Amino acid sequence: MKVALLHVDVSGGPESRNLEILSQGIRLAAEVGASWIVTPETAVQGYFFACERETTPIEVPIQPSIAVEPIQKLAAEKQVTVFLCCAEQDEESSKHYNSCLVIGPDGSILGRHRKKQAHGGVSEGWADKGEQLEPIICGDRKAGILICADSWYEENAVALADKGADIIVVPAAWPPNGCGGPPENAWKKASAVSKRALWVCNQTGKQERLDFTHAQSAVVVDGEMQLEYSGEPAVLLFEWDFKKQCAWVNEFAVLTL
């Protein structure tokens, strides 16, 4: 199966710009045969979208439905599965979450993961912590999702593996000089203890608060980095063998955006 990671510059937003970038990346990935397409953490609004509200709560409810609709239509048009990361508000509880929605090839939302380890800093203080950790059924496969810092806690990866996850997808906003040390240390450990591969979709671009220029997207197999990339915005492609739990080659095919 061909997989695409959208290693793009979306942390600064705005939402309208990010949706254009994501749509362009999804179209390009689909045109070259990708079946599953992964976006970085908070890709729709941008990781720093709430920072101008440092001292006040968010006044406008975060409703991703309008923003997500064009991506749902695009997924259905191209018949691809998209792991779309966004801020969302739960309709019943009105709580806000840092989420990854899994959009199926018919455009429906197959499931979601809500970040469990959201920290209280400016960039994530708006988000409540997710409580569920369940793989999502995508056709004949089960995908576990850990958003960024969720992967620091290896017990999360083990729990997903124990629940039947075939792969663990990690959307991220995690530069190499971020908190917690080099992120690849966490990814390697999570892969090793869970005996599952991790697909890490990070982002690029430089913001005043964090520099993602050298942030890595990666494929981690058996506790080791099999594929890795940092640099300019790109669609990163690889062929995945679910039976052998590894990529066919040791370098991404890189399509610049």
Side-chain angles (χ1 to χ4, degrees):
M1 183 180 75
K2 185 172 285 188
V3 181
L5 309 180
L6 302 190
H7 186 90
V8 288
D9 179 0
V10 288
S11 64
E15 183 178 291
S16 56
R17 170 183 174 271
N18 286 2
L19 286 170
E20 289 182 6
I21 292 171
L22 297 173
S23 296
Q24 179 187 4
I26 291 168
R27 288 186 182 278
L28 181 56
E31 286 169 6
V32 296
S35 298
W36 287 13
I37 302 168
V38 186
T39 69
E41 181 177 6
T42 332
V44 172
Q45 291 90 355
Y47 184 68
F48 298 110
F49 81 97
C51 287
E52 64 270 20
R53 306 184 182 95
E54 289 188 32
T55 58
T56 59
I58 294 175
E59 297 175 356
V60 180
I62 302 167
Q63 293 285 3
S65 57
I66 296 175
V68 167
E69 280 179 5
I71 303 297
Q72 289 180 272
K73 291 178 180 177
L74 183 55
E77 175 192 336
K78 299 299 183 181
Q79 296 186 317
V80 293
T81 298
V82 179
F83 294 73
L84 182 68
C85 295
C86 64
E88 66 164 350
Q89 184 182 38
D90 185 90
E91 292 183 7
E92 295 184 3
S93 69
S94 295
K95 289 183 177 181
H96 298 112
Y97 294 99
N98 183 342
S99 299
C100 180
L101 311 181
V102 182
I103 301 171
D106 63 353
S108 66
I109 295 178
L110 303 178
R112 55 176 39 79
H113 171 70
R114 291 168 168 170
K115 188 173 183 179
K116 292 172 62 65
Q117 310 301 152
H119 60 71
V122 173
S123 56
E124 294 187 43
W126 57 270
D128 291 282
K129 293 184 179 182
E131 298 176 356
Q132 307 254 340
L133 193 62
E134 296 288 340
I136 295 167
I137 298 173
C138 305
D140 59 352
R141 302 293 180 184
K142 288 185 178 182
I145 302 172
L146 298 175
I147 299 177
C148 203
D150 288 345
S151 63
W152 176 262
Y153 301 87
E154 64 267 18
E155 61 267 26
N156 290 334
V158 172
L160 287 171
D162 288 346
K163 293 179 180 181
D166 296 296
I167 192 73
I168 297 176
V169 178
V170 183
W174 199 343
N177 58 345
C179 59
E184 61 266 29
N185 291 348
W187 303 333
K188 289 177 181 179
K189 189 171 184 180
S191 172
V193 298
S194 67
K195 298 180 171 56
R196 293 295 185 274
L198 271 60
W199 301 344
V200 181
C201 184
N202 218 327
Q203 48 199 287
T204 189
K206 186 175 182 178
Q207 301 295 329
E208 182 179 350
R209 297 177 183 277
L210 279 178
D211 184 357
F212 294 107
T213 305
H214 301 292
Q216 290 179 303
S217 288
V219 172
V220 188
V221 177
D222 294 331
E224 298 296 334
M225 305 278 275
Q226 184 183 7
L227 310 176
E228 51 190 296
Y229 174 89
S230 62
E232 295 299 314
V235 175
L236 308 178
L237 299 160
F238 60 98
E239 293 280 356
W240 184 255
D241 188 325
F242 273 103
K243 183 175 288 187
K244 295 182 179 179
Q245 278 286 300
C246 66
W248 288 5
V249 295
N250 291 323
E251 289 185 356
F252 286 116
V254 179
L255 302 180
T256 56
L257 287 172

